[in-house]
Amino acid sequence: PYFNTHETYHYYSLPVCHPTPIISLPLKLGQVLRGDRMAESQYEIKFREDIGKTTLCPLTLHGPYIDAFHNAIEELYYFEMFIGGDLPVRGFVGQLEQRQLPYTHKAFLWTHLHFEFEYNGNQIVHATVSEKTEEVQLPVDDSSPERKIDVTFSYYATWKENTAIPFKLRHL
């Protein structure tokens, strides 16, 4: 959760696309003390190769899975990935939209990630992820256990050269 960084959860505890089996990665002492949980992802991104829109997986979310995502969005959960082992990128699971007049309360699940990488020579010097390119509104007013929603998780990646940032001065 964004407002409680000491409370951490494994990303795959949410009903997201995941490899089978989930392969956990070894952690350093500092990562263990922070409560990090690292595992391999399904994103297949190759150095300096742009990727058009690629489907990660389609899922049908039903009652408890919708509730899990809705709770994560309400609590402002964000994910953290490490590029090349030590370059972090972060993004939110979704977005909460509230208005007072007239009162509305909506939760949107981000289903598409756009990875942007910058490189200098043969090394990555900057990475970002944006998650606001596609969204699915979750049915927050419908509490019936038989509710269902079809979602497709996807991503794309772009690369650009940046010779202004030497590898030793990149921000971790």
Side-chain angles (χ1 to χ4, degrees):
Y2 182 75
F3 292 111
N4 185 358
T5 57
H6 298 291
E7 183 180 347
T8 63
Y9 301 98
H10 198 294
Y11 180 68
Y12 294 137
S13 66
L14 288 173
V16 294
C17 307
H18 58 81
T20 304
I22 296 172
I23 300 171
S24 296
L25 302 175
L27 301 175
K28 297 176 184 169
L29 179 59
Q31 294 169 319
V32 172
L33 294 175
R34 279 194 310 267
D36 289 350
R37 295 161 181 87
M38 295 175 66
E40 290 183 4
S41 75
Q42 289 183 290
Y43 298 98
E44 294 184 23
I45 301 172
K46 295 182 179 171
F47 186 67
R48 293 174 63 172
E49 288 185 25
D50 287 351
I51 300 172
K53 185 173 179 179
T54 302
T55 297
L56 196 60
C57 77
L59 291 175
T60 298
L61 304 176
H62 60 281
Y65 292 160
I66 294 171
D67 291 342
F69 275 123
H70 185 262
N71 180 58
I73 294 165
E74 289 274 348
E75 297 294 324
L76 299 176
Y77 280 27
Y78 65 93
F79 60 86
E80 182 176 56
M81 295 180 188
F82 290 91
I83 309 302
D86 63 351
L87 189 60
V89 294
R90 296 171 187 90
F92 285 96
V93 172
Q95 178 178 324
L96 189 61
E97 183 182 289
Q98 284 185 248
R99 294 198 175 123
Q100 295 302 321
L101 295 172
Y103 179 77
T104 59
H105 185 95
K106 298 178 183 177
F108 296 93
L109 172 65
W110 302 134
T111 60
H112 183 81
L113 298 180
H114 176 200
F115 294 94
E116 296 178 84
F117 301 100
E118 296 178 18
Y119 62 92
N120 186 346
N122 64 352
Q123 297 172 312
I124 300 172
V125 293
H126 186 72
T128 58
V129 63
S130 57
E131 63 281 326
K132 296 181 181 179
T133 54
E134 293 183 21
E135 62 190 34
V136 172
Q137 183 176 343
L138 295 178
V140 295
D141 297 332
D142 180 5
S143 60
S144 65
E146 51 282 332
R147 65 200 148 137
K148 292 184 180 176
I149 187 167
D150 292 325
V151 298
T152 300
F153 290 92
S154 59
Y155 67 98
Y156 64 97
T158 55
W159 293 84
K160 76 176 185 182
E161 187 172 23
N162 183 343
T163 57
I165 303 174
F167 182 74
K168 65 182 179 183
L169 294 180
R170 71 183 183 152
H171 297 287
L172 297 179

